Amino acid sequence: MVATKMEKPAADLLTSPGVSSLFKSLKLKTKQQELLIRVAILCLVYVLAFITRLFSVLRYESMIHEFDPYFNYRVTQYLTRNGFYEFWNWFDSESWYPLGRIVGGTLYPGLMVTAAFIYWTLRFLSFAVHIREVCVLTAPFFASNTTIVAYFFGKELWDSGAGLVAAVLIAICPGYISRSVAGSYDNEGVAIFALLLTFYLFVKAVNTGSLAWALASAFGYFYMVSAWGGYVFIINLIPLYVIVLLIRFVGFQHVQSGEHMAAMGVFFLMQLPPIVAYMKAGIGRREWLLPVQINLLSGFLVVSLFASLPCLLKNFSEVSHSVINMPSISTLVQVFYFLDWVKFLLNDPKKFHTFLRITVTSAVALGAIALGVGTASGFISPWTGRFYSLLDPTYAKDHIPIIASVSEHQPTAWSSFMFDFHILLFLFPAGLYFCFKRLSDATIFIVMYGLTSMYFAGVMVRLILVATPAVCLISAIAVSATIKNLTQLVRAKSKPAPVGSGKGTTSTKAPSKGYYGKVLAGFILVWSQKLVSEFSAKPLKLDLENGFNGLLTSPFVGKINTKQVNEDRSISEKNENTSINMDNKGSLDQSPPFQKNGAIALLFGAFFLLSRYVIHCTWVTSEAYSSPSIVLAARGAHGNRVIFDDYREAYFWLRQNTPPDAKVMSWWDYGYQITAMGNRTVIVDNNTWNNTHIATVGRAMSSYEDEAYEIMRSLDVDYVLVVFGGVTGYSSDDINKFLWMVRIGGGVFPVIKEPDYLVNGEYRVDKGAAPKMLNCLMYKLSYYRFGELTTEYGKPPGYDRARGVEIGNKDIKLEHLEEAFTTSNWIRKMIHRGSIHRSGLGMAARKTTGDTTQEAFDFKQLLNQDGWSNLLQFALHYNCNATTNFCGVLL
Amino acid sequence: IDLSSQVVRTVVSLKVENNGPDSASEILLPFPEHVAKNLAFLEASVSEGKGKTKGSSDSLPIKVVNPEGMPATLSWYSVALPKELGKGGNLNLEVKAVYSHILRPFPEKITQADIQLVAFQDGAHYLSPYAVKVQSLTVKLPEPKVESYTKLGNTKFSGSEIKYGPYENLPPFSYSPIVVHYVSNNPFAVARNLVREIEISHWGNVQITENYDLVHAGAEIKGEFSRLDYQTRPHVRGASAFRNLLAKLPPRAHSIYYRDEIGNISTSNVYSDSAKTLLEIEPRYPMFGGWRTAFTIGYGLPLRDFLFQSEGKRFLNISFGCPMSDVVVENLTVKIVLPEGSNDISVSVPFPVKQSQETKFSHLDMVGRPVIVLEKINSVPEHNQYFQVYYRFSNISLLTEPLMLIFGFFLFFVACVIYTHADLTISKSSASYLAKLQWDEVQSTIQQFQSIMNRSLIVHDKLEASLRDLSRTGDVQACKAARKAADTLLKELAKEVKPLLSFLQSSSQAAQIFPKVEELVAKERELQEKLMLKHSTVVDAYEKKSSGGRDIENRVASVQQKITLLRQEVDDLLEIIDEI
């Protein structure tokens, strides 16, 4: 568009005589060049964002990772095989035996429908792709699209330079990559795209006041709701944003403008669908709601139609959250309007105040009563634990072990912020400064988004993901603004040469026009300034401070590092006299000396920082986030690559060699994988909707064998699957997770008491372990015949490599169960896998062993890398592995 | 009889003599019913000479017959002789028969530590409708371990061979059952289903994909499977299991993969030399009796090794069966996927198969690729023979798909071009649309304005240059002329600016920019004046030659400073306007 607009004048100019036309045409070229470079960079970023996520495909294979994605993959397969309506009505009897699960109604279908849609499109274009390939590459594809959205968002917030930087930053930001590498086929993969798109379109709608953008934003929101539980964030953030605007402008003129009405109008409409859906849920009991519903619907049929669909899919407790959270804030906004209207009607401040007092009191009272009655009668379901834990990080730990047992629900450590954001962590406050400095509707929005999401990221590790786009955008503003300032400085310096200015301007203009500097170079921070000044000679330092405080970023400096600045100030004050003198003496626009050099040095510093960021991101992606966790790889003694594929060995054995209707009991972590890869019915899986059922499994695992046998018989269990890492040293095995089983089991069945399994509050498996521990089912299954095995040279038989102790009960006899299959891994002395099969009733337990050395491997890798943050990263990474693992509870 | 693997191979060397009065053109071969249904492969050939140079002669045509007057419990095959056998004539025949699934594991279920025993049943005498003069039987065993065997007269057990006979002058249909019960730990790998898909790409590749559905058909395992036992002594506690299979692929096979439904299987090795490529694959777990597995192997082969041309037709010459030497396939399906647009297809297979045709859609197919489906039940390694598929295919159709892609992208770009150039506004009279039009106009005006400004700046530069020339050459006249020229030029430019300015003033869209523009014009005028002033001062000074260069400089210093300042401002303003 820009290019075409420019062509016409260019043609005019070419006809006009003289040098000036040449000059002019040259100048036009730089503009076109700028466009070209921008498009080229965007394309590169698009491609690179995709490519950088392919490490796991190249290292391992094109496969689905982790736990949840296997469920998504299975659902997508079902969808593509059986079509949309079958999928909608799918009752899955293979999970949660004997309860089953209504899959179509209890999941967020956005991801699966998207993948299926891509698959069908490709098929239609006659590309014979496999659905697995589509699923594996969906997340990287959407990550690429996210970069484009980030560009436009940045452009909308600040300028196109900031947009470009934002695109680059978000393309490789580890916080986002962690959930969007090839193979991590999870809701978040598309949800972040949808989130950013919704926000972008919303901001666009606010800026332009166009109803089309608002509608588009509503559609974006619709997509988001269909894809991820995180939509609650949007629906709460936007009313909050509106409130802030109201407070900021203390009055209604501003928000009453058509622009805001258009943007907000659609979002107000958005509240209706949840209400409608909620009412529909209650219709059976409350017919009187029907007319109300019809009234509400009449105006907003179109919007509610598309928006209510996803909400209906959700279980209704989620709907009621939206009803409570979001409207409570946004109705407040409407109350503002209403008050304004009343004020207008009443005309008398006194009357108005009385009116206000009465209505507010009665409204509060009514609301409180309604809420109380609703909650008591169970009409409004209470918030789920995960929402409580968002507001109070310690809540889950005390009350809901099943949430606390998931490592990604832990509060975030500083190291993981550093790991996932790297320099963005420092750029974020700087960017906030710039936003505050140029407050507009758009920047207020991004500031709100950044601050709230940062809070949530601090509460839960996995929510770093939500904060990532905001952090990238705000940091991009910081980078772009600073570099712009610096390049201006460089340019301004070159201008004062008064003679031959014609040529001078041409040459200096060219670099100033494009954004090359901005794009290539990066960013400056106070500490880079400090760094540069420390390394440079003293006069230069003085000068730098001068230049900065006087001309550029002094408030910025002041904000970030007051102490440093105070020093600077004193120095610069001293110098002020001289510089003023200089100004008087020399030409007026003469800047302090060395300013240009300083700016160039800072540009280099920025470049250095940004390249460090790139290096860090690539390293993190390749080392930490590209492992499928199904297959483990390690280096053998001779540097060869050793693959441990025990999980799939076990699942495939189950798939091929057990009766098709066999029921498998395992801890819930492996549920999705067993159904997807083993194709067998499981008792519990990663959709942790029924705590009691999980607790029953936990109870079985922590009981004596005969008691456990009774439980298993009542659940019709044929096989038991146990993951054991004692042979290879794989630390995230069932023995390490066992305390959670005890806790969750004990939470429902008081028979199970945690202290029974501990000795002096200590969890042990060796000779000093508690007797109940040594004889519970989990212990027996894991260590069955382990006492005969020598795992490590120089250690007694039965030495557990994962925990580094010799086990306490070496003579384990199984009465009811028998070993059916144990996976193998001959490379290390290894794995013993037991499977247990009970004669007569066909009970069997089977234990697979993953293996590891993974931890040790990581540690070595990390030590090889330089830098302090890496050790922290290791700490984080280790934590992630050790505590438990990724569960796939929908937020 | 060769019992060394799971398939039983019998080789019968017959010396046939026609004692009757008529000449015989065929020989009947009977098989008992239970054997006949497992007969996988039958071949008869004339062994010429003295028995050593046999095998090279062509196999004789064999057909199923139902001769009258013969017992119906036998299945009959008839071998047509190459030439009629006259009275007293004789002929050496070699009949090779291969049976699958006739070894029965006994006991049927064993534990992990047990060895596998199998039983084999047959007759010690050669079953024939003809009288047999002399006959002997040798049974070859895989290991010299026999649990039991039927002892008849003249039975000898030595090494891993059991010999029966020779027996003489047996009447037709003489039958003497024997049972051999022996140790066989050979893999009983049976593929329930094998689908081989051979896809021809005329870009130079033959892609072969083989889907196996494999089972260990030996004695089933019962009781526990203990990894510990298996690990410590795999050959004792797991003797009946097999761990790996060897596939012999053609030479120059490339892009080999080995995977199953849930992903790649990392336990495989490839060894290749110029004569063959060996692929050693290991299932995910050791295969015990009764355990099943399923996997896929795939590889690419260079097209030129397998595709040839004759009489204007192309033909594919490739082997039929499973590349693994010790796997019996119950249902073998071979699919040959020919390129889209192939026609006139015919197939020639050396043994009877069921043939059908279907269509497959692959990348960028419009009408689909013709697929020849050949089905064979009970396939043994002997079926691994070459077969031919003849078809016609024109080279031009090879280009369809790239052209389609090119055309697709072309359309896409054209669409983009159209989109950027077309005015898609629905309501041409809407306010925002008009505003946009106006804004475009304003922008182009400002561009013109900018160009004029720049041109006048260049004129200024020229003036300065003329001054420098003056100081060098002292040519006052030339300098004056330059000033005159510059003066007229500037006046022209000022005239040009006027309509633009009035337009900008009238346009509401330009309200924001207009002050800047006006300022710029004013500054430029001022600059122009100052410059003229400086110019005339300097020129005057030169004319009068009153003072030296220093004096002149002093006189213009203040003007010069203002000029520099103004110039700076003008540049800044230009830039600001540019950015808008």
Side-chain angles (χ1 to χ4, degrees), chain B residues 244-395:
Chain B
N244 54 16
L245 293 165
L246 198 65
K248 196 177 157 191
L249 310 179
R252 291 183 289 284
H254 59 87
S255 326
I256 301 170
Y257 65 84
Y258 168 45
R259 57 172 298 130
D260 59 25
E261 278 165 295
I262 61 172
N264 182 51
I265 308 169
S266 53
T267 43
S268 61
N269 277 308
V270 174
Y271 314 93
S272 60
D273 57 37
S274 61
K276 63 187 179 306
T277 307
L278 284 182
L279 170 65
E280 186 193 5
I281 59 173
E282 203 175 297
R284 287 191 188 272
Y285 38 85
M287 294 290 289
F288 278 90
W291 283 12
R292 298 189 301 132
T293 191
F295 57 87
T296 303
I297 61 175
Y299 47 94
L301 297 168
L303 187 72
R304 60 175 189 281
D305 292 0
F306 298 93
L307 195 75
F308 308 95
Q309 274 191 324
S310 75
E311 301 155 15
K313 283 183 107 174
R314 294 161 199 266
F315 73 94
L316 174 80
N317 186 30
I318 204 162
S319 66
F320 186 83
C322 159
M324 289 176 209
S325 54
D326 41 11
V327 173
V328 171
V329 184
E330 284 180 5
N331 297 303
L332 172 65
T333 311
V334 180
K335 295 181 175 180
I336 303 101
V337 184
L338 299 173
E340 193 176 27
S342 308
N343 51 27
D344 200 3
I345 303 159
S346 59
V347 186
S348 130
V349 188
F351 39 84
V353 290
K354 200 176 130 199
Q355 190 180 332
S356 58
Q357 194 161 350
E358 56 186 43
T359 312
K360 182 191 172 183
F361 285 88
S362 185
H363 296 299
L364 298 173
D365 284 345
M366 306 283 278
V367 293
R369 308 179 181 197
V371 181
I372 313 292
V373 184
L374 307 172
E375 279 171 89
K376 171 86 190 146
I377 292 166
N378 243 346
S379 156
V380 289
E382 273 71 15
H383 287 118
N384 217 343
Q385 299 178 7
Y386 281 90
F387 71 103
Q388 292 80 34
V389 181
Y390 297 88
Y391 63 96
R392 285 183 200 280
F393 178 75
S394 84
N395 274 329

Side-chain angles (χ1 to χ4, degrees), chain A residues 540-796:
Chain A
L540 178 60
K541 177 182 177 179
L542 294 182
D543 205 70
L544 270 177
E545 313 299 3
N546 237 349
F548 267 81
N549 292 337
L551 286 165
L552 271 179
T553 49
S554 59
F556 169 41
V557 172
K559 185 175 160 72
I560 304 296
N561 193 335
T562 336
K563 199 180 152 202
Q564 169 74 17
V565 170
N566 286 343
E567 285 168 23
D568 296 344
R569 279 275 151 76
S570 57
I571 300 165
S572 56
E573 266 159 30
K574 272 185 229 155
N575 285 329
E576 226 146 67
N577 296 329
T578 38
S579 52
I580 291 167
N581 285 344
M582 225 163 58
D583 283 352
N584 288 344
K585 245 193 305 179
S587 62
L588 276 172
D589 53 343
Q590 196 93 37
S591 313
F594 301 121
Q595 196 184 37
K596 188 181 166 192
N597 295 346
I600 289 174
L602 287 177
L603 277 178
F604 273 109
F607 183 73
F608 172 75
L609 269 183
L610 284 184
S611 40
R612 287 307 303 176
Y613 172 73
V614 171
I615 291 166
H616 170 83
C617 293
T618 317
W619 176 78
V620 167
T621 313
S622 114
E623 292 301 326
Y625 290 140
S626 293
S627 158
S629 93
I630 303 290
V631 186
L632 307 167
R635 299 263 161 226
H638 307 293
N640 52 325
R641 194 150 165 266
V642 177
I643 301 253
F644 298 103
D645 204 358
D646 288 37
Y647 276 101
R648 285 195 294 185
E649 180 181 346
Y651 296 137
F652 204 66
W653 186 87
L654 266 183
R655 187 189 190 104
Q656 294 288 337
N657 297 310
T658 57
D661 59 346
K663 282 99 197 166
V664 183
M665 182 172 95
S666 74
W667 192 233
W668 59 266
D669 297 17
Y670 313 107
Y672 278 165
Q673 290 183 348
I674 294 172
T675 38
M677 289 198 270
N679 198 19
R680 291 294 174 266
T681 307
V682 294
I683 307 297
V684 290
D685 67 24
N686 309 44
N687 178 277
T688 50
W689 65 274
N690 188 329
N691 194 31
T692 317
H693 218 47
I694 291 177
T696 312
V697 172
R699 184 185 173 190
M701 293 292 191
S702 37
S703 308
Y704 293 123
E705 194 189 344
D706 41 357
E707 294 162 17
Y709 180 63
E710 288 307 314
I711 298 171
M712 288 193 288
R713 215 163 53 166
S714 68
L715 286 173
D716 211 3
V717 172
D718 298 311
Y719 290 85
V720 181
L721 182 140
V722 177
V723 173
F724 174 63
V727 179
T728 44
Y730 178 59
S731 63
S732 51
D733 67 353
D734 279 349
I735 290 286
N736 278 354
K737 290 172 194 167
F738 182 60
L739 269 192
W740 289 114
M741 302 183 201
V742 173
R743 266 173 220 159
I744 293 167
V748 178
F749 304 103
V751 191
I752 308 292
K753 293 181 197 73
E754 194 178 334
D756 289 351
Y757 300 86
L758 303 175
V759 177
N760 299 330
E762 215 181 324
Y763 179 63
R764 312 172 62 163
V765 295
D766 58 359
K767 281 208 173 61
K772 181 130 196 202
M773 177 74 206
L774 289 178
N775 288 295
C776 68
L777 182 70
M778 177 52 72
Y779 192 92
K780 283 175 101 174
L781 294 186
S782 290
Y783 291 118
Y784 178 63
R785 298 197 69 185
F786 187 64
E788 300 166 37
L789 185 73
T790 309
T791 52
E792 208 168 307
Y793 182 73
K795 301 279 190 213

Side-chain angles (χ1 to χ4, degrees), chain A residues 5 9 13 20 23-24 27 61 126-128 132 491 495 498 501-502 505 509 513 589 643 645 648-649 652-653 655-657 784-785 788-789 818-824 826 830-831 833, chain B residues 223-231 243 259-264 266 284-285 291-294 362-365 421 440 443 447 450-451 454-455 458 461 468 564 567-568 571-572 575 578:
Chain A
K5 260 186 232 159
L13 287 169
S20 66
F23 168 61
K24 204 53 191 174
K27 195 177 159 202
E61 57 183 283
S126 67
F127 287 97
R132 187 192 61 247
R491 186 178 67 205
K495 218 177 253 173
S501 46
T505 36
K509 242 166 211 168
K513 286 296 159 217
D589 53 343
I643 301 253
D645 204 358
R648 285 195 294 185
E649 180 181 346
F652 204 66
W653 186 87
R655 187 189 190 104
Q656 294 288 337
N657 297 310
Y784 178 63
R785 298 197 69 185
E788 300 166 37
L789 185 73
E818 72 178 25
E819 183 176 356
F821 184 71
T822 303
T823 61
S824 68
W826 290 94
M830 17 244 213
I831 304 191
R833 347 346 282 298
Chain B
E224 282 196 345
F225 162 66
S226 166
R227 175 69 64 172
L228 182 66
D229 289 343
Y230 181 66
Q231 224 159 5
R243 307 193 50 156
R259 57 172 298 130
D260 59 25
E261 278 165 295
I262 61 172
N264 182 51
S266 53
R284 287 191 188 272
Y285 38 85
W291 283 12
R292 298 189 301 132
T293 191
S362 185
H363 296 299
L364 298 173
D365 284 345
H421 283 272
D440 284 349
Q443 265 187 331
Q447 296 238 344
Q450 274 176 313
S451 81
N454 280 319
R455 272 154 65 196
I458 287 165
D461 288 346
R468 278 197 297 280
T564 321
R567 182 66 194 241
Q568 178 72 46
D571 280 348
D572 283 348
E575 221 162 78
D578 196 37

Side-chain angles (χ1 to χ4, degrees), chain A residues 268-308:
Chain A
F268 287 153
L269 297 191
M270 300 300 304
Q271 311 159 28
L272 285 169
I275 295 171
V276 170
Y278 179 51
M279 285 172 173
K280 275 183 190 161
I283 274 171
R285 288 169 289 165
R286 288 148 212 259
E287 279 79 13
W288 55 269
L289 275 175
L290 202 59
V292 185
Q293 179 202 356
I294 290 165
N295 280 341
L296 280 171
L297 263 177
S298 56
F300 316 111
L301 203 63
V302 182
V303 186
S304 60
L305 254 184
F306 69 73
S308 63

